[in-house]
């Protein structure tokens, strides 16, 4: 089905983005750890005249601060990579209407929505989808009032509605996408950097 192909394409792009993010994150973390190591070594040399216990405690403090800084850099890089992935997904979804696969996607969204709200009477769509919706609406009244990349909203006489737009589906999938992205990223990352 077209949705599965789109998800596979998005996952392939996510893998590529993840690899780029991994490299950037590893380089950033290594630079931070190296800088902290140099700072710790300088501090150790400076404190060589001080009692050994104090020197070791001060060096450990510097190491701990470097680890916290590296962890923050990794978190920021992961979030940036995820945001970049979402931007690419949004770009693909916003252009889906112009693809040959869109009528099948629209049909699948309509069928799914009808199954969830069988008593629907009104099919709300973006004006760009009015003709397509009319050809598939059957007994539903088509109203072109949405502003969406694609998809639809069904409404029943009792006030219940089902919103099944591409934007809504992406928003609803955010937690799952974030989880998949995180698991793939975690699986590809090397173990923690060596202590300074």
């Amino acid at each position: 089905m077209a949705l599965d192909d789109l998800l596979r394409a998005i996952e392939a792009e996510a893998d590529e983005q993840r690899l780029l993010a991994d490299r950037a994150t590893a380089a950033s973390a290594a630079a931070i750890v190296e800088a902290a190591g140099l700072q710790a070594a300088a501090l150790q040399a400076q404190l060589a005249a001080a009692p050994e216990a104090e020197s070791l405690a001060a060096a450990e403090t510097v190491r701990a601060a470097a680890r916290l800084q590296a962890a923050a850099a990794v978190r920021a890089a992961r979030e940036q990579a995820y945001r970049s992935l979402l931007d690419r997904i949004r770009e693909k979804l916003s252009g889906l209407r112009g693809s040959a696969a869109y009528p099948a996607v629209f049909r699948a969204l309509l069928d799914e929505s009808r199954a969830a709200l069988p008593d629907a009477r009104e099919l709300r769509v973006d004006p760009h989808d009015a003709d397509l919706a009319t050809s598939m609406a059957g007994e539903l009244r088509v109203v072109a009032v949405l502003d969406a990349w694609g998809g639809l909203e069904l409404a029943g006489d009792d006030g219940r509605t089902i919103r099944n737009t591409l934007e809504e589906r992406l928003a609803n999938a955010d937690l799952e996408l974030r989880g998949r992205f995180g698991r793939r990223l975690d699986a590809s990352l090397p173990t923690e950097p060596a202590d300074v």
Side-chain angles (χ1 to χ4, degrees):
M1 178 176 211
L3 290 174
D4 292 336
D5 293 339
L6 180 60
L7 283 175
R8 278 193 289 281
I10 289 169
E11 284 186 359
E13 286 184 28
D15 289 342
E16 182 181 320
Q17 286 291 321
R18 178 183 39 78
L19 288 175
L20 292 174
D22 291 350
R23 289 183 186 128
T25 301
S28 177
I32 291 168
V33 170
E34 182 179 348
L38 293 174
Q39 187 180 7
L43 184 59
Q44 277 183 324
Q46 182 182 17
L47 297 175
E52 189 175 321
E54 285 182 28
S55 297
L56 292 175
E60 184 54 37
T61 299
V62 170
R63 282 189 198 100
R67 285 198 276 304
L68 287 174
Q69 191 176 7
V74 168
R75 280 191 308 275
R78 286 174 70 120
E79 185 61 24
Q80 181 181 0
Y82 181 69
R83 290 287 164 206
S84 176
L85 170 67
L86 275 184
D87 288 344
R88 294 187 70 169
I89 292 171
R90 285 183 187 107
E91 183 180 320
K92 284 207 174 284
L93 287 176
S94 68
L96 185 61
R97 179 182 281 131
S99 76
Y102 183 66
V105 170
F106 188 89
R107 168 60 75 191
L109 294 173
L110 179 59
D111 291 347
E112 180 181 270
S113 298
R114 278 185 164 172
L117 189 60
D119 295 332
R121 297 289 176 248
E122 187 173 88
L123 172 58
R124 298 174 187 156
V125 297
D126 185 281
H128 294 97
D129 291 333
D131 291 339
L132 178 63
T134 300
S135 72
M136 296 182 187
E139 74 288 348
L140 297 171
R141 180 178 62 250
V142 176
V143 182
V145 295
L146 293 183
D147 180 17
W149 299 329
L152 54 102
E153 181 177 275
L154 282 184
D157 291 336
D158 60 0
R160 292 185 304 152
T161 62
I162 298 287
R163 188 168 182 91
N164 207 354
T165 63
L166 299 177
E167 294 95 323
E168 189 75 17
R169 291 189 69 110
L170 179 59
N172 291 339
D174 184 65
L175 286 176
E176 181 181 346
L177 288 173
R178 187 176 289 275
R180 282 185 183 184
F181 181 78
R183 285 188 297 276
R184 285 179 179 253
L185 193 59
D186 289 342
S188 69
L189 286 177
T191 57
E192 290 187 24
D195 282 342
V196 178

